[in-house]
Amino acid sequence: MRQELMSLPKTLAEDVARNLVMVARLLDEDADLAYGYSRVALRLASRVAAVREAAGFASYATERYAEALAEFRACRRMTGTVDLWPVMADCERGMGRPERALEMAGASEVHKLDRAGQVEMRLVAAGARRDMGQNDAAVVTLQSPELASNAVHPWTARLRYAYADALLAAGREDEAREWFAKSLEADQSGSTDASDRLAQLDGVAFVDALDDADDEQPAADEAAAEDRDGGADVADGGDAPDDEVTEAAEGEAGDDEGRKDREAGDAGEPDVDLTDEADPTAFLDDPFKEPSKNTEG
């Protein structure tokens, strides 16, 4: 990317670089904001392949699949590489064209992808099968040497998770549970929710203690308020009418005042106001063949 930016005037290159850095930082945290920075970079340097790629991923993250596909295609024309082929196919899925994604999965470009790219292509193709209601075919699509391998690679957890999910969609719950467990073993970065899926299959329900406390607090406040009201009723003489309560209170106040006056007079002191204050190989030969008759079509 640095080499590409060197073709721009220095100040322009710096402005573009700053926006691209913000796209990279925000893409996983605030995709909409990252998209905004990508559009600025695109206006400044639309002929730079790295800018088109960044704009494509920002659009993809915000589900603007048509925009993303256009940017990825432009980047591919500029660079001549096929690295973006799987995500381009996934854009076709996002646009509601799974058949087109499957066509791309069988194209010659797939043979040029590295191993990671071929795994990504399998994931996209399996997703397209499921979009079409072909759950058994999705299971077959994901079966590969990479899935069977015990070695752990960056894609391993996601591949096993997708396989487990496809098995579950096909009604093979016991196998799905096994593969969710395998996905969890390989998921060192927490990129999947395999643990939650396992818990669901086991019938375990998670309860958020904080949420429960928030729900109980209003009830506790209401009970406390009722207690206070009940105490006030007792102090006022139970169910006595308001007029009677008032008269009784005034009488008690008058008696208190008379007593205080007498005590003050006896002491020979003046009256005082005493009121209180308030407080991938097999895959390459025939990557996504149609499923056999025992699979969904």
Side-chain angles (χ1 to χ4, degrees):
M1 182 179 70
R2 180 176 297 179
Q3 186 174 359
E4 293 182 60
L5 294 178
M6 287 177 63
S7 63
L8 302 174
K10 183 178 179 180
T11 55
L12 179 58
E14 290 175 351
D15 289 341
V16 173
R18 278 194 290 267
N19 282 279
L20 293 181
V21 168
M22 295 305 298
V23 173
R25 287 181 178 176
L26 295 169
L27 197 57
D28 293 332
E29 299 176 5
D30 190 336
D32 288 323
L33 190 54
Y35 175 79
Y37 281 105
S38 75
R39 304 313 289 181
V40 174
L42 193 60
R43 287 196 298 270
L44 293 174
S46 61
R47 296 187 179 184
V48 175
V51 171
R52 305 304 289 265
E53 181 176 344
F57 277 110
S59 298
Y60 179 81
T62 55
E63 299 183 2
R64 295 175 169 90
Y65 297 115
E67 284 185 23
L69 185 57
E71 299 301 340
F72 290 144
R73 283 174 173 169
C75 182
R76 181 168 177 254
R77 286 194 300 269
M78 292 176 179
T79 61
T81 65
V82 296
D83 295 345
L84 297 172
W85 195 252
V87 71
M88 290 169 64
D90 206 36
C91 286
E92 295 285 1
R93 283 187 60 211
M95 295 167 65
R97 301 191 298 218
E99 299 88 353
R100 176 57 184 154
L102 286 176
E103 290 177 12
M104 294 180 68
S108 60
E109 283 82 356
V110 176
H111 295 263
K112 301 176 184 178
L113 294 170
D114 60 13
R115 194 177 181 189
Q118 290 174 7
V119 170
E120 289 298 326
M121 197 70 250
R122 278 191 180 278
L123 292 170
V124 173
R129 289 292 186 189
R130 292 189 60 181
D131 292 343
M132 299 166 67
Q134 300 174 2
N135 294 322
D136 289 328
V139 171
V140 173
T141 299
L142 291 169
Q143 293 171 348
S144 62
E146 292 82 9
L147 181 67
S149 175
N150 291 324
V152 176
H153 300 280
W155 64 77
T156 301
R158 292 175 53 240
L159 180 59
R160 292 177 179 179
Y161 183 95
Y163 188 60
D165 203 31
L167 287 168
L168 189 61
R172 298 158 64 174
E173 184 173 317
D174 292 340
E175 294 174 83
R177 192 195 182 289
E178 176 187 352
W179 281 96
F180 276 128
K182 290 182 177 181
S183 174
L184 183 59
E185 290 176 2
D187 193 3
Q188 300 175 354
S189 62
S191 60
T192 72
D193 64 345
S195 60
D196 293 341
R197 300 297 297 276
L198 276 172
Q200 290 174 1
L201 291 175
D202 291 339
V204 177
F206 293 99
V207 177
D208 193 327
L210 293 178
D211 288 346
D212 287 347
D214 291 340
D215 293 339
E216 292 173 0
Q217 188 60 38
D221 293 342
E222 183 177 350
E226 290 177 355
D227 290 341
R228 290 193 298 271
D229 293 342
D233 290 340
V234 172
D236 288 341
D239 296 330
D242 292 342
D243 292 341
E244 295 179 7
V245 172
T246 303
E247 290 175 1
E250 290 176 351
E252 292 175 359
D255 292 341
D256 289 343
E257 185 177 352
R259 178 177 55 80
K260 292 174 183 178
D261 288 342
R262 287 193 298 272
E263 291 174 353
D266 294 341
E269 296 177 356
D271 293 342
V272 179
D273 185 2
L274 299 179
T275 56
D276 296 332
E277 294 183 358
D279 294 301
T281 302
F283 163 71
L284 294 177
D285 292 339
D286 189 5
F288 308 108
K289 61 184 179 181
E290 293 293 329
S292 56
K293 294 182 179 179
N294 62 346
T295 63
E296 297 182 9

